[in-house]
C-alpha cells in the first residue's frame, strides 16, 4: 500500500485532529495509507519541542511514497512555508508530488487583491515584483509538481479544510500509480 | 571552489541584478562561487516562462554544494515560499543549509504583531494556531538548518537587501567547510 504524506497548514486548524482523520479516511478509500503529521506522540521537553516535531515529520516523510500538499494560501498570498519546504524535500528526493489549493485565483491576481493593488500592478508598494506567469503560486511550487509528473488541482472552496480539491487530487494520485504499475507490467510482458 | 546557491526573495527587488552581483562579490571574497538565480539567460516563449525559470533555477541548485537562504519575512510573517521550497530541496539532498533573516523577532511574536493580536494569543482570528516554539519561522525551516549542521543567522536590519546577516552567514559557511576539510585531513593522517 502506497503511503502519502499529507502536508499542509491543516495542522494549524482548531480541529486539526479531526481534519487529519478525515484525510486519512479518504486516503484509505482510495487504497492509500495517509500520513498526517499530527499522528505522532512527541516526547520532548518544551524547549526542544519544535526540533522534535521536525524530526518526527521528517521520519514520516522518509516513509512516504509521495506527497499531497495543501497549497491553499496561508496568512498571505502564498502557501504555508512549512508545506513549501516539504514539497521541496520530495522534489529533492525525486519522489512524486501532488498538490491542491482551495483558491483557484492566479498568484498575481490574488497577490494584487490581498495587497490592494491595481489589477495590472507589476510591483507592490515596496517595489517588490509580482510574479506574472499565470501560475497558482511562486513558480517553484507548480514547477516542481509538473517536473515530478504530478498534478496541482485548484478548486475554489471555503477555508483551508474544504476537501473537494483534496479528493480530486487523490483521484489523480490513483491514476498516477495505476499508470505506473501498468507501465511496469507492460515492460515485463513485452 | 565551493558553489553556493543564493536563495531568497532578493530576485523580486527592483535592483535585483545589483543585489545579486553584490552577493556574488561577497561570496568571492570568502572564496566561494555564488550562484544567484537571475544569472541566467532564459529562452522561452511567454507562456512557458515560469516553468523555464523553474528548470533554470533547478539547474543551478544541482550544481551547488550548499544553500544560503534569505528567510527574511516576505509579504507576511514567514519567508518567501520559493525560498522555503529550495531549502527543502537541499534538505532532501542532504546538502549543507545556511540561512539568515533580517528580522530577529521570534516567529510567534512577529505573527502576532503583523496580525494585530494580543502578545499571548495562541490562535489568530480565524482560529489558526500560532507556532509557539521560540524559533525564527515555521519549525521546518530552522529544523532543517539545524539538522544539516548549518547555521541560521538572525540580525535586525532594514529591508530584504541588507547584507549584515548575509555576511555573517558567509563567515559561518567558511568555518563549516574549513572544519569539514580539517576533519577529512585528520581522517587521512591518523
Amino acid at each position: 500500500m502506497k503511503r502519502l504524506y499529507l502536508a499542509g497548514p491543516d495542522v494549524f486548524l482548531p480541529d486539526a485532529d479531526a481534519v487529519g482523520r478525515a484525510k486519512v479516511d479518504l486516503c484509505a478509500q482510495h487504497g492509500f495509507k495517509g500520513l498526517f503529521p499530527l499522528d505522532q506522540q512527541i516526547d520532548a521537553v518544551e524547549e526542544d519541542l519544535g526540533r522534535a516535531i521536525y524530526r518526527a515529520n521528517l521520519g514520516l516523510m522518509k516513509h512516504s511514497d509521495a506527497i499531497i500538499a495543501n497549497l491553499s494560501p496561508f496568512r498571505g498570498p502564498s502557501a504555508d512555508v512549512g508545506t513549501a519546504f516539504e514539497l521541496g524535500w520530495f522534489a529533492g528526493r525525486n519522489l512524486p508530488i501532488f498538490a491542491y489549493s482551495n483558491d483557484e485565483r492566479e498568484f498575481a491576481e490574488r497577490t494584487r487583491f490581498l495587497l490592494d493593488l491595481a489589477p495590472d500592478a507589476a510591483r507592490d508598494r515596496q517595489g517588490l515584483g509580482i510574479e506574472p506567469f499565470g501560475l497558482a503560486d511562486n513558480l517553484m511550487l507548480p514547477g516542481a509538481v509538473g517536473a515530478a509528473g504530478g498534478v496541482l488541482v485548484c478548486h475554489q472552496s471555503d477555508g483551508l479544510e474544504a476537501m473537494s480539491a483534496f479528493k480530486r487530487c487523490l483521484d489523480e494520485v490513483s491514476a498516477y500509480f495505476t499508470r505506473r504499475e501498468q507501465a511496469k507490467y507492460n515492460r515485463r510482458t513485452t
Side-chain angles (χ1 to χ4, degrees), chain A residues 16-186:
Chain A
D17 279 320
V19 170
R21 278 194 302 273
K23 284 188 141 180
V24 169
D25 286 350
L26 286 166
C27 288
Q29 289 168 28
H30 282 76
F32 297 118
K33 180 162 180 57
L35 301 175
F36 191 71
L38 285 184
D39 289 348
Q40 306 162 68
Q41 296 300 322
I42 310 281
D43 195 17
V45 293
E46 184 79 19
E47 71 243 56
D48 285 320
L49 193 53
R51 292 185 198 281
I53 296 173
Y54 173 81
R55 283 192 297 272
N57 289 356
L58 210 76
L60 288 185
M61 291 156 68
K62 284 180 178 169
H63 287 92
S64 300
D65 299 293
I67 185 174
I68 299 185
N70 180 353
L71 297 182
S72 304
F74 182 71
R75 292 182 183 147
S78 279
D80 163 55
V81 289
T83 307
F85 168 88
E86 291 166 351
L87 203 150
W89 191 91
F90 278 81
R93 296 273 168 137
N94 290 316
L95 289 166
I97 299 173
F98 293 82
Y100 70 96
S101 174
N102 293 340
D103 186 324
E104 67 185 8
R105 290 173 293 181
E106 286 182 5
F107 183 39
E109 180 194 351
R110 183 168 64 241
T111 302
R112 291 176 189 126
F113 176 80
L114 288 174
L115 301 180
D116 195 23
L117 302 171
D120 59 347
R123 296 192 169 270
D124 66 17
R125 290 189 183 80
Q126 281 72 49
L128 297 166
I130 293 167
E131 274 194 19
F133 307 120
L135 299 170
D137 204 327
N138 180 297
L139 65 91
M140 298 308 286
L141 307 185
V145 176
V151 176
L152 168 50
V153 176
C154 296
H155 181 66
Q156 195 66 39
S157 328
D158 268 352
L160 287 178
E161 64 274 37
M163 291 287 172
S164 54
F166 177 70
K167 285 181 201 167
R168 283 167 54 181
C169 211
L170 274 173
D171 293 336
E172 296 288 351
V173 180
S174 291
Y176 172 88
F177 280 114
T178 302
R179 278 196 309 274
R180 218 166 73 165
E181 284 303 307
Q182 190 63 45
K184 208 186 286 180
Y185 176 81
N186 290 346

